[in-house]
Amino acid sequence: MLLRTDRLLLRPFELRDADDVWAYRRLPEVVRHMLVEARDRDGAAVGVRRMMAETEIGPDGGVVTFAVVLPERDTVIGEVSLVVRSAVHRCGEIGYVFHPDHQGKGLASEASNELLRLGFEDLGLRRVYGMCSAQNAASARLMERLGMRREAHFIGSRWAKGTWRDELVYAILADEWRLRRSRLRRSR
């Protein structure tokens, strides 16, 4: 499955992407808020192989992870994923990781908005949520820019990297997403 936005190509991962993934997954500022440690080159290749297998998604379940590519440079600058968490409740979860050199340009919002479109329009999801460390203000702001509302602040809810971590949960319903999207179109 290939998805295109104004500036990006979202495509399945390929083995040749391992060096691009390693370029950002090795950075302390990228993995600081993640549950995993920085990866070495071999670890990045293992991660790419795992993400290569995440290509099956439908309203009944599954996960899809896309390499976020700048088409003019054919460079992977990040990754976005959508997981159907409950077919019965039509609920999904989004996630994202981007190279710091490409943050602050609206690219993560663009890619994540496309995943919301996929979830709501193509898969018929009713609700999509995302989670982040409460210390990750940039991730929280991104979810707010996507129109998601903060639903929870879990105190000391996850043991990660030798400490208890607070987590934030943001979510948006399909009707809210459609209304927001129609307002954005009319304002252009």
Side-chain angles (χ1 to χ4, degrees):
M1 172 184 330
L2 294 175
L3 302 174
R4 294 186 189 278
T5 68
D6 290 341
R7 299 179 289 171
L8 301 169
L9 172 65
L10 280 59
R11 62 159 172 78
F13 272 94
E14 302 169 359
L15 278 178
R16 68 184 175 102
D17 299 327
D19 283 341
D20 288 346
V21 171
W22 182 61
Y24 59 85
R25 285 286 191 131
R26 69 181 176 189
L27 301 174
E29 64 265 35
V30 171
V31 297
R32 174 182 45 223
H33 300 296
M34 297 174 66
L35 299 175
V36 298
E37 296 292 344
R39 293 194 170 152
D40 60 17
R41 184 171 260 129
D42 291 339
V46 168
V48 166
R49 281 188 196 91
R50 179 189 49 78
M51 292 186 288
M52 286 172 60
E54 295 174 343
T55 60
E56 298 294 325
I57 193 164
D60 294 330
V63 58
V64 64
T65 300
F66 292 100
V68 179
V69 178
L70 289 174
E72 67 278 2
R73 293 177 42 199
D74 195 31
T75 302
V76 175
I77 62 165
E79 60 207 57
V80 290
S81 63
L82 177 63
V83 182
V84 174
R85 292 290 182 195
S86 172
V88 171
H89 301 292
R90 296 181 10 233
C91 182
E93 178 181 3
I94 61 167
Y96 40 81
V97 181
F98 279 79
H99 193 295
D101 290 351
H102 301 282
Q103 293 174 1
K105 301 173 184 175
L107 298 171
S109 293
E110 193 171 316
S112 298
N113 265 314
E114 182 61 14
L115 279 195
L116 291 176
R117 188 209 59 74
L118 173 68
F120 292 132
E121 291 183 3
D122 296 354
L123 301 176
L125 296 179
R126 189 186 129 284
R127 179 176 184 272
V128 175
Y129 70 91
M131 297 176 68
C132 69
S133 163
Q135 300 299 312
N136 192 344
S139 186
R141 284 192 305 272
L142 170 58
M143 288 187 272
E144 290 168 0
R145 280 193 309 276
L146 294 171
M148 301 172 89
R149 89 187 132 281
R150 189 166 104 181
E151 291 188 337
H153 182 157
F154 295 116
I155 309 296
S157 61
R158 186 179 301 264
W159 181 256
K161 300 179 183 175
T163 189
W164 287 104
R165 165 176 139 163
D166 290 6
E167 290 187 311
L168 302 177
V169 177
Y170 284 80
I172 188 168
L173 298 174
D175 291 343
E176 296 168 327
W177 180 81
R178 285 184 189 93
L179 180 61
R180 182 176 183 276
R181 190 167 165 117
S182 71
R183 286 181 182 156
L184 288 173
R185 283 185 185 145
R186 280 187 298 215
S187 68
R188 290 182 184 168

